[in-house]
Amino acid sequence: DTEVTQTPKHLVMGMTNKKSLKCEQHMGHRAMYWYKQKAKKPPELMFVYSYEKLSINESVPSRFSPECPNSSLLNLHLHALQPEDSALYLCASSGGDSGIYGYTFGSGTRLTVV
Amino acid sequence: GDSVTQMEGPVTLSEEAFLTINCTYTATGYPSLFWYVQYPGEGLQLLLKATKADDKGSNKGFEATYRKETTSFHLEKGSVQVSDSAVYFCALSGPQETSGSRLTFGEGTQLTVNP
């Protein structure tokens, strides 16, 4: 299995809702990432988990809450989002701590906040 | 800090034309270099990579050579197809940090190939 699977593919939520994005990989990768991508822009790093511990938080607002329940799963909990948070949310993983071999990205969750 | 500069798009070519997308970088140490491709409505796919100077990455007819002396990693393809239409991102990964690595992206280049 050489894939990163993200669910759901599309999500529409109101500003008072709570929802979660899910990401799963079975490649034995020990680093997992959340990125946010706005239209016609490169992905922006949000969080990095290494060996199931949060290692990088790029000053992301607290309405985004990551969780890594085990080495194969990564969640992003969403609460009280704003319309400007609408974007494509990408999960990725990489082998070990180094990105030397590149990341494997999921196909993303397209989030719309109304 | 690390940065990646890509040639601005969009780039429009006819089928079977030659493609070059320029990419230069600024980084400390010896980064790994990547090209990612994003098709409409999808995530990013690793197209090719190079991890040290003079390495050539290649995949699906695309090539790029890690040039340390010019800090460049230009993407080339001899004959593009309509199916190559996508956004291409040049990226680098710096030396291993304390844990987890940071991927720095260029702004992306939109390629459209017409029949």
Side-chain angles (χ1 to χ4, degrees), chain A residues 34-98:
Chain A
W34 280 115
Y35 278 83
K36 174 183 177 180
Q37 186 180 26
K38 301 285 273 186
K40 301 187 185 300
K41 290 294 186 181
E44 300 172 14
L45 182 64
M46 300 175 71
F47 302 104
V48 180
Y49 272 83
S50 179
Y51 292 89
E52 302 161 47
K53 288 185 167 43
L54 183 65
S55 59
I56 297 176
N57 176 340
E58 291 288 89
S59 302
V60 178
S62 60
R63 57 186 184 267
F64 296 92
S65 175
E67 177 195 22
C68 189
N70 60 54
S71 60
S72 299
L73 293 174
L74 186 66
N75 299 321
L76 186 63
H77 302 299
L78 314 173
H79 173 54
L81 295 193
Q82 304 298 309
E84 60 265 28
D85 297 321
S86 298
L88 181 67
Y89 288 83
L90 294 165
C91 175
S93 67
S94 66
D97 284 341
S98 171

Side-chain angles (χ1 to χ4, degrees), chain A residues 31 33 35 37 40-43 45 48 50 55-56 58 88 90 94 97-103 105-107 110, chain B residues 32 34 36 38 41-46 49 51 89 93-94 96-103 105-108 110:
Chain A
Y33 310 79
Y35 278 83
Q37 186 180 26
K40 301 187 185 300
K41 290 294 186 181
L45 182 64
V48 180
S50 179
S55 59
I56 297 176
E58 291 288 89
L88 181 67
L90 294 165
S94 66
D97 284 341
S98 171
I100 190 169
Y101 299 112
Y103 290 13
F105 281 87
S107 57
R110 190 161 299 280
Chain B
S32 295
F34 308 92
Y36 283 88
Q38 187 172 32
E42 297 186 11
L44 276 70
Q45 298 177 25
L46 178 62
K49 66 181 186 292
T51 57
F89 291 98
S93 176
Q96 182 174 337
E97 299 181 2
T98 51
S99 56
S101 64
R102 187 185 303 272
L103 203 57
F105 287 94
E107 287 297 308
Q110 171 75 56

